[in-house]
């Protein structure tokens, strides 16, 4: 890693230490010793996100943590992370996590049920139909470390796993995936994995789940096939943006689909 990126890692540590304080771009850039423009450019090269979007993502992750680990009211949590309006906080939470703060707070039991239901299904293969490679994104998921569980793969609008994926599927353990009828545009391919032995809190707050993401967008056109994608899951790395989307929500969407094809 370049010295420049090492400096950005120092800024990331600084953000974590001062997350509850105002962190305007001017303060972060000044601490780094760069102009706001130059700082934003190299921060985005390191993390894939603009600095203030990264900060807001960490704060939402902290809100998820507070919802599950404390009895603070939603109002108090919104104030704790610097969001003065509870309504604005709730709206952003839904957009980026996929459920309301209250639903997330009370989702632990359902999360455990979803994981048990997936495990009881045994092996499955979920293919989306389609004969042409135009508008098709396909590839394989592997892992750096041994893994048994469920892998969630998705195409997202931004280089962070937040909101419902534009295309998504679940894999039993790892293996091949395919998305068809993908409209022309730019997408970010990301994946994370939930082991069968995990407790609900482990994947409601996925600090330790294996993950993979591509910082550069995958560009889909109406005239060229997309190269085959190789995804390698790895343990979390320092500076990774948080996984904001509710993983149990994605599990529930899968379980509600009507067609399963056994391996």
């Amino acid at each position: 890693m370049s010295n420049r990126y090492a400096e950005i890692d120092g800024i990331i540590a600084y953000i974590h230490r001062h997350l509850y304080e105002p962190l305007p771009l001017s303060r972060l850039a000044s601490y780094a010793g760069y102009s706001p423009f130059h700082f934003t450019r190299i921060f985005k090269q390191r993390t894939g996100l603009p600095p203030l979007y990264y900060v807001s993502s960490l704060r939402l992750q902290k809100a998820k943590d507070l919802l599950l680990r404390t009895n603070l009211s939603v109002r108090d949590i919104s104030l704790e992370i610097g969001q003065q309006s509870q309504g604005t906080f709730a709206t952003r939470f839904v957009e980026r996590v996929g459920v309301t703060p209250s639903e997330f707070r009370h989702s632990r039991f359902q999360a455990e049920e979803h994981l048990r239901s997936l495990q009881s299904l045994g092996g499955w293969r979920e293919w989306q139909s389609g004969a042409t490679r135009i508008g098709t994104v396909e590839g394989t998921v592997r892992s750096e470390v041994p893994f048994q569980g469920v892998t969630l793969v998705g195409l997202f609008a931004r280089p962070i796993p937040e909101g419902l994926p534009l295309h998504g599927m679940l894999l039993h353990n790892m293996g091949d995936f395919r998305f068809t009828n993908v409209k022309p545009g730019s997408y970010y391919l990301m994946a994370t994995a939930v082991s069968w032995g995990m407790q609900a809190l482990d994947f409601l707050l996925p600090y330790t789940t294996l993950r993979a993401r591509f910082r550069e967008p995958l560009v889909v056109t109406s005239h060229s096939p997309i190269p085959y994608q190789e995804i390698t899951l790895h343990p979390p790395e320092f500076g990774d943006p948080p996984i904001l989307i509710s993983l149990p929500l994605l599990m529930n969407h899968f379980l509600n689909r009507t067609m399963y094809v056994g391996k």
Side-chain angles (χ1 to χ4, degrees), residues 126-180:
E126 183 194 18
W127 286 116
Q128 298 184 13
S129 61
T132 176
R133 289 193 61 203
I134 303 299
T136 296
V137 177
E138 56 187 337
T140 300
V141 180
R142 298 184 175 88
S143 176
E144 291 181 353
V145 297
F147 169 75
Q148 294 287 320
V150 58
T151 299
L152 305 97
V153 187
L155 294 176
F156 291 84
R158 295 188 179 95
I160 176 174
E162 65 174 22
L164 289 173
L166 302 172
H167 294 266
M169 66 184 301
L170 270 61
L171 303 177
H172 185 270
N173 295 325
M174 294 165 286
D176 300 330
F177 66 92
R178 180 190 299 154
F179 303 124
T180 61

Side-chain angles (χ1 to χ4, degrees), residues 59-77:
R59 286 174 172 160
L60 270 182
Q61 176 178 251
K62 187 61 181 178
K64 290 171 63 178
D65 197 294
L66 292 171
L67 283 165
L68 294 182
R69 297 186 193 272
T70 76
N71 292 320
L72 290 172
S73 68
V74 173
R75 170 65 176 166
D76 286 343
I77 290 172

Side-chain angles (χ1 to χ4, degrees), residues 111-125 146-152 170-174 192-203 208-210 233 247 251-252 254-255 260 263:
E112 292 174 350
E113 284 290 311
H114 295 337
L115 188 59
R116 283 196 293 265
S117 296
L118 287 168
Q119 189 170 15
S120 69
L121 284 176
W124 71 82
R125 184 178 296 275
F147 169 75
Q148 294 287 320
V150 58
T151 299
L152 305 97
L170 270 61
L171 303 177
H172 185 270
N173 295 325
M174 294 165 286
T192 192
V194 177
S195 300
W196 294 132
M198 279 187 164
Q199 302 299 309
L201 205 63
D202 297 328
F203 58 96
T208 62
T209 58
L210 299 174
L233 296 167
L247 300 185
M251 294 176 182
N252 187 49
F254 175 86
L255 289 166
Y260 301 97
K263 290 185 178 179

Side-chain angles (χ1 to χ4, degrees), residues 75 77-90 92:
R75 170 65 176 166
I77 290 172
S78 68
L79 292 172
E80 190 81 3
I81 66 166
Q83 183 64 65
Q84 297 300 316
S85 166
Q86 181 179 340
T88 300
F89 166 68
R92 290 179 178 172

